[in-house]
């Protein structure tokens, strides 16, 4: 298994853009992923970061680390986003591996807490995420907010 930071490995940028668009994008949001991933390559800011998980050269999954996940709690950051593991690879703890990798990267970037928003319950709790409350999206929906502390 190989973790790929798109910022550190820009040769993967086009593949990452297509992958995130396929898994999370829509006609309305595809340009968002393209612009965000392309812009991160030269940004002086620590965020955003985009990651792929590869088995050999096959993409198994992806995740992002972003300053806000389109949620009302703009006082909280950074956010784990876009976590996805291909169906045929699920059940192998690859989601956990990718979460732990993003936690490690988040800590290296100097952040003490990592957040995420989701509609899932009982998945992220297994990986030391605690429920914080509800946040609201610009399109009128709400999501559960979780956090994990990264300091020892």
């Amino acid at each position: 298994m190989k973790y790929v930071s798109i910022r550190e490995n820009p040769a993967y940028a086009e593949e990452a853009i297509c992958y995130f668009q396929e898994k999370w994008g829509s006609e309305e949001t595809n340009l968002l992923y393209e612009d965000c991933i392309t812009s991160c390559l030269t940004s002086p800011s620590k965020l955003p970061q985009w990651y792929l998980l590869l088995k050999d050269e096959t993409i198994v999954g992806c995740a992002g680390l972003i300053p806000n996940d389109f949620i009302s709690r703009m006082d909280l950051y950074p956010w784990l986003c876009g976590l996805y593991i291909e169906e045929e690879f699920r059940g192998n703890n690859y989601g956990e591996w990718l979460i732990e990798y993003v936690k490690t990267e988040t800590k290296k970037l100097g952040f003490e807490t990592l957040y995420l928003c989701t509609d899932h319950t009982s998945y992220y709790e297994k990986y030391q995420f605690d429920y914080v409350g509800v946040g609201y999206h610009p399109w009128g929906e709400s999501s559960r907010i979780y956090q994990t502390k990264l300091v020892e």
Side-chain angles (χ1 to χ4, degrees):
M1 301 302 288
K2 175 180 171 184
Y3 301 101
V4 176
S5 162
I6 304 308
R7 190 181 286 226
E8 294 172 9
N9 299 278
Y12 285 92
E14 196 59 43
E15 194 171 6
I17 290 166
C18 292
Y19 191 78
F20 275 92
Q21 287 174 332
E22 178 186 330
K23 301 307 173 191
W24 294 108
S26 66
E27 189 174 320
E28 294 83 18
T29 63
N30 280 342
L31 285 176
L32 178 136
Y33 286 104
E34 180 179 352
D35 188 44
C36 191
I37 293 170
T38 301
S39 298
C40 90
L41 298 175
T42 57
S43 175
S45 175
K46 295 178 185 179
L47 301 174
Q49 299 279 338
W50 300 96
Y51 308 102
L52 296 176
L53 178 61
L54 305 178
K55 184 173 186 175
D56 300 316
E57 284 301 310
T58 301
I59 299 176
V60 170
C62 64
L65 181 62
I66 59 176
N68 186 277
D69 202 3
F70 304 105
I71 197 147
S72 56
R73 292 300 307 271
M74 295 198 185
D75 58 315
L76 307 176
Y77 61 91
W79 296 79
L80 168 66
C81 75
L83 178 68
Y84 186 85
I85 300 296
E86 290 291 336
E87 269 190 58
E88 70 244 38
F89 293 104
R90 293 179 187 169
N92 295 300
N93 296 325
Y94 296 153
E96 178 182 9
W97 292 5
L98 199 45
I99 290 168
E100 292 303 319
Y101 177 75
V102 173
K103 283 182 181 180
T104 300
E105 292 298 297
T106 303
K107 192 173 178 180
K108 282 184 195 174
L109 292 170
F111 298 103
E112 297 178 357
T113 307
L114 177 61
Y115 300 90
L116 65 86
C117 60
T118 185
D119 295 330
H120 296 290
T121 56
S122 71
Y123 179 75
Y124 293 99
E125 291 90 339
K126 295 185 286 189
Y127 309 113
Q128 294 76 51
F129 280 88
D130 298 311
Y131 176 72
V132 174
V134 175
Y136 303 94
H137 299 287
W139 51 88
E141 295 177 7
S142 63
S143 289
R144 298 171 60 85
I145 297 173
Y146 289 86
Q147 71 176 12
T148 188
K149 298 291 184 182
L150 304 173
V151 292
E152 298 166 10

